[in-house]
Amino acid sequence: MSDSINDRVIVILAEQAMIEPSDISMDQSLEDIGIDSLGVVESIFAIEEAFDITVPFNANDPTEGDFDISSVSAIVHAVQGLVAAQKT
Amino acid sequence: MRRVVITGQGTINALGRNVRETLEAMREGRCGIGDLEFQDVDRLSIRIGAQIKGYEAEANFNRQQIALYDRFTQFTLLAAREAIGQSGLGFSGELATRSGVVLGTSGGGMNTLDENYRTVYADGKNRVHPFVVPKLMNNAAASHVSMEWNLKGPSFTVATACASSNHAMGQAMQTIRTGMADVMITGGSEAMLCFGGIKAWEGLRVMSKDACRPFSANRNGMVQGEGAAVFVFEDYDHARARGAEILAEVVGFAMTSDAADIVMPSKQGASRAIVGAMKDAGLNPGDVGYINAHGTGTAANDKTECAAVADAFGPHADVLMISSTKSMHGHLIGGTGAVELLACIMALRDGVIAPTIGYQEPDPECALDVVPNVARDAKVDAVLSNAFAFGGLNAVLALRSV
């Protein structure tokens, strides 16, 4: 399940950035892969839709709340946590 | 005051995907009205409209653009591309800061509203796409035009229902006239043909179930259309200095308010706008050869408009030609004046007066030369374009050949 979340998040981010999933590495930031602030909001929407979860994210202050978007791996980790918490 | 000319025009509407196709349809008196095609149309009592059939957003825009561009914005961008392309202008440096965009729309992103209301109300979902607001806002089209072509001067959107485009183009003209800008991209757009858009109009009981027959005694209401038309308005000296082709001169503009009723038009308000536009243009009634009528095909508008024209022109009202092209492209609401300006420019440039099609029975209360059913060859030097909105807001433009 975890691996699947990993892959699905990467596919979502790749689609948003209009690049191939294989071009994304886990330590990159969203900025590194070319996702701007509007793209971040759209990515979070896509993640919420894909996993049927609610992501606590405030665009006014992205560092607020528990959802860490500092890197691809941080996002994957956060999504894994939300899926575990909200699907039980 | 500076003179203002038109150096580019573009459109997409039910009659054509560009100006050439649209004018050809107008010359041939072709009707763009047909059966509406969209979700839940079977729950409507009004099922006709002048819809742009076979339109595919994906053929013109990429996925990320479509996520941000409502249909009314897409139409605007396509029309602007044609108009600005024809003008030959590129916007950088000083010219970019001296150029702006003012557009008319009434409903803005109506399809976006409709789709997302359906999502949360009908489908019971609790989440909508994050771009709903920037997609539906009325100024989205104007903003995307400014972004796409680097227009950094005065830019805004005008919403005065069915007069939105005329008010917008009047503002564009004044902006150049008074020296606030050298080039203004202007016109308007509407994309209201969706379940909620038509359902709302049904309630007023002013819509026809079969055809738009302006000025014809057997008319039975208006028919909605969709699309956009966009023009490049330019300072005359600026256009001349670069050797641009000038399509027409915008010589006059006037706006009035009836201050009377939220839906019923007023002869006095309309007449004052017509007279005002002629005065602003320095035209005498006898100079005006053609009027593109508001001509909605409702009893209230057509009778009032004919009385206003008779009032404003006196004996010359019986000589001039007045047609309603809404019989062909439908009523584009906030975009209608822009599409109708195409017919005005065709009259001046090509000497072809677009007809009022669907005309079947003379109405003694509309006893003017409405150019029934068949286009007419005629040389005219000055024309007017009428727009009279719900809320009693009237805007009339005057154009002349250069």
Side-chain angles (χ1 to χ4, degrees), chain B residues 249-253 277-278 281 283 383-385 396-400:
Chain B
E249 180 172 1
V250 191
V251 284
F253 173 60
M278 286 194 285
L283 294 169
V383 303
L384 299 184
S385 185
V396 177
L397 286 158
L399 267 58
R400 201 164 54 189

Side-chain angles (χ1 to χ4, degrees), chain B residues 2 13 43 54 77 122 216 271 318 351 400:
Chain B
R2 311 200 304 172
N13 63 80
R43 288 177 55 210
L77 289 166
S216 186
S271 176
D318 296 327
R400 201 164 54 189

Side-chain angles (χ1 to χ4, degrees), chain B residues 180-378:
Chain B
M180 288 170 69
D182 295 329
V183 177
M184 291 296 288
I185 308 306
T186 188
S189 174
E190 202 72 75
M192 217 181 258
L193 301 181
C194 55
F195 178 75
I198 299 291
K199 182 54 78 182
W201 277 96
E202 269 182 14
L204 269 173
R205 315 279 171 142
V206 295
M207 305 278 283
S208 170
K209 290 180 179 176
D210 51 20
C212 177
R213 306 182 188 286
F215 308 120
S216 186
N218 63 342
R219 65 188 174 275
N220 59 6
M222 53 175 273
V223 175
Q224 270 202 58
E226 67 173 353
V230 172
F231 301 88
V232 178
F233 281 18
E234 187 172 355
D235 169 53
Y236 174 77
D237 291 334
H238 190 272
R240 285 297 298 265
R242 66 185 188 90
E245 184 188 5
I246 292 172
L247 305 178
E249 180 172 1
V250 191
V251 284
F253 173 60
M255 37 187 169
T256 64
S257 323
D258 298 342
D261 192 281
I262 197 67
V263 290
M264 291 302 285
S266 135
K267 182 183 88 167
Q268 288 77 14
S271 176
R272 284 193 297 120
I274 294 168
V275 170
M278 286 194 285
K279 192 175 168 198
D280 186 48
L283 294 169
N284 294 311
D287 298 330
V288 176
Y290 169 66
I291 301 173
N292 186 288
H294 193 53
T296 56
T298 61
N301 174 82
D302 293 4
K303 287 178 188 179
T304 306
E305 183 166 17
C306 289
V309 168
D311 196 56
F313 284 90
H316 186 65
D318 296 327
V319 181
L320 58 76
M321 294 168 282
I322 174 168
S323 70
S324 170
T325 50
K326 287 189 178 73
S327 54
M328 297 180 276
H329 53 66
H331 192 338
L332 279 75
I333 316 294
T336 208
V339 170
E340 290 161 29
L341 205 73
L342 297 167
C344 292
I345 295 170
M346 178 170 76
L348 292 170
R349 290 190 82 209
D350 306 333
V352 177
I353 309 298
T356 304
I357 69 165
Y359 187 84
Q360 294 175 326
E361 283 178 41
D363 176 354
E365 289 193 74
C366 302
L368 301 175
D369 179 358
V370 300
V371 196
N373 300 320
V374 180
R376 197 179 302 165
D377 292 328

Side-chain angles (χ1 to χ4, degrees), chain A residues 15-16 18 38 41-42 45 48-49 52-54, chain B residues 62-64 67-68 125 127-131 134:
Chain A
E15 198 182 345
Q16 189 64 40
M18 292 197 289
L38 211 50
V41 176
E42 201 177 15
F45 169 73
E48 287 185 322
E49 288 283 280
D52 193 22
I53 54 174
T54 298
Chain B
N62 66 36
R63 188 181 60 86
Q64 289 197 313
L68 279 166
K125 281 193 66 178
R127 184 184 297 132
V128 295
H129 192 277
F131 299 169

